[in-house]
Amino acid sequence: MLALFPQASGAAGVAQTLATMVRLVNGALLDPALRDQAAQAMSGCPKGEKACYCYACLAWVNRMVRYVPDPNGIETVHDPRIIAAGIRNKTQVYGDCDDLSTYLAALLKTIGLSPVFRAVGYDGHPYSHVYVSCHGLRLDPTRDAWTVNYKPYSETSVLEQRV
């Protein structure tokens, strides 16, 4: 796990967090557990069906990682290799939206896809959430995989970072 101290406020802090998430994903690309989990996730997909790969990886994250928010006032980002190791060892794995999104992006990138982190605020509020966009699909690992395009609020603050 990586704790971010100190972190800038506002959009600068969000950009710092996204940069850390990108660094963690790119550092994990050769991890055997992560690559095996990506292969398991998409095993039922027809060859070359990128949308199926995206949704299969999202469903995998939904099944394997429990959503738990960060402690108040502290921003942490879990290394996707730690999450993959926990899944491999059959221990309880958890994280908040940035942790789940980092693990999801790592799965997607290990199979040759191009995920993008999307930090958003809703209905005029500042940034409060992050999810993954890939091949035009909204992949929010905090939501049920079968309602991936559910968009209950208007995104009014948006910052994207390609992985």
Side-chain angles (χ1 to χ4, degrees):
M1 178 175 4
L2 173 69
L4 304 177
F5 300 104
Q7 181 178 356
S9 62
V14 173
Q16 281 180 322
T17 301
L18 292 177
T20 297
M21 293 165 65
V22 168
R23 191 169 51 256
L24 290 171
V25 168
N26 288 327
L29 291 179
L30 299 178
D31 181 71
L34 192 63
R35 295 176 62 82
D36 287 348
Q37 290 165 16
Q40 287 176 51
M42 64 175 208
S43 64
C45 291
K47 185 176 181 178
E49 291 292 327
K50 292 179 181 179
C52 184
Y53 297 168
C54 290
Y55 290 134
C57 287
L58 177 61
W60 174 271
V61 174
N62 285 158
R63 280 192 319 273
M64 304 306 260
V65 187
R66 182 180 182 151
Y67 175 83
V68 176
D70 282 338
N72 282 338
I74 298 173
E75 180 60 52
T76 65
V77 181
H78 289 90
D79 188 312
R81 291 172 285 200
I82 292 172
I83 294 174
I87 292 168
R88 182 189 61 226
N89 296 329
K90 299 182 179 173
T91 60
Q92 179 64 53
V93 183
Y94 66 91
D96 69 346
C97 62
D98 51 45
D99 305 314
L100 276 64
S101 292
T102 301
Y103 176 61
L104 174 59
L107 291 171
L108 295 168
K109 191 146 184 189
T110 65
I111 57 175
L113 300 180
S114 302
V116 174
F117 290 123
R118 188 171 171 93
V120 297
Y122 296 107
D123 296 331
H125 297 288
Y127 300 102
S128 60
H129 187 56
V130 64
Y131 62 88
V132 177
S133 175
C134 193
H135 292 280
L137 303 171
R138 177 190 169 125
L139 305 171
D140 187 341
T142 67
R143 299 217 180 263
D144 185 295
W146 303 110
T147 58
V148 290
N149 288 314
Y150 178 72
K151 191 173 180 182
Y153 305 106
S154 173
E155 294 177 357
T156 51
S157 302
V158 178
L159 185 60
E160 290 186 333
Q161 178 66 55
R162 184 165 299 282
V163 180

